[in-house]
Amino acid sequence: MAPPDDMFGDDDYPAYTMGRAAEITGASQDFLRRLDEAKLFTPFRSAGGHRRYSRHQLRLAARAREMVDQGTALEAACRIITLEDQLQEALRENDRLQRRQQSETS
């Protein structure tokens, strides 16, 4: 496990219980379970088997709730969000590689 100082800035650290995650996202606990079933993300599990959510997962859950509230089917919302998330990651990686290439040619 990472030292406490490293966990504060870690978007992937599973810091939130299901109850707190539901409260933060404004979604029900059942909705969070359905996101897991729809494979939007897989929550971490505590030693006791309880679901734990990261800030990144909470942002995805909040986006899914927003889309479903606007009438998008859950499965479609999850697919759209997954694709948006993959695109953002690819853009970040592309940016990182371009910066590295520029620093190597400088």
Side-chain angles (χ1 to χ4, degrees):
M1 181 158 292
D5 288 348
D6 294 339
M7 290 183 264
F8 289 121
D10 186 355
D11 259 7
D12 294 317
Y13 182 73
Y16 302 96
T17 63
M18 178 179 272
R20 185 70 177 127
E23 183 181 318
I24 290 169
T25 61
S28 68
Q29 292 183 16
D30 180 60
F31 185 79
L32 294 174
R33 283 186 207 95
R34 289 176 41 216
L35 294 178
D36 183 12
E37 291 167 8
K39 307 273 188 255
L40 179 59
F41 51 73
T42 301
F44 300 91
R45 295 289 182 151
S46 69
H50 299 282
R51 288 175 173 89
R52 305 285 295 189
Y53 298 88
S54 68
R55 286 190 303 227
H56 177 74
Q57 291 171 330
L58 294 185
R59 282 194 296 276
L60 296 177
R63 176 81 171 113
R65 187 186 64 77
E66 189 179 282
M67 291 180 75
V68 168
D69 287 351
Q70 293 174 354
T72 305
L74 179 68
E75 293 77 18
C78 290
R79 184 67 181 140
I80 290 166
I81 293 164
T82 297
L83 291 170
E84 288 174 343
D85 198 45
Q86 290 171 347
L87 175 60
Q88 286 302 318
E89 181 58 34
L91 291 171
R92 281 191 294 273
E93 179 66 11
N94 188 41
D95 187 50
R96 184 188 68 77
L97 291 171
Q98 285 180 351
R99 282 188 312 234
R100 188 173 95 191
Q101 183 180 14
Q102 288 172 351
S103 70
E104 290 173 358
T105 59
S106 301

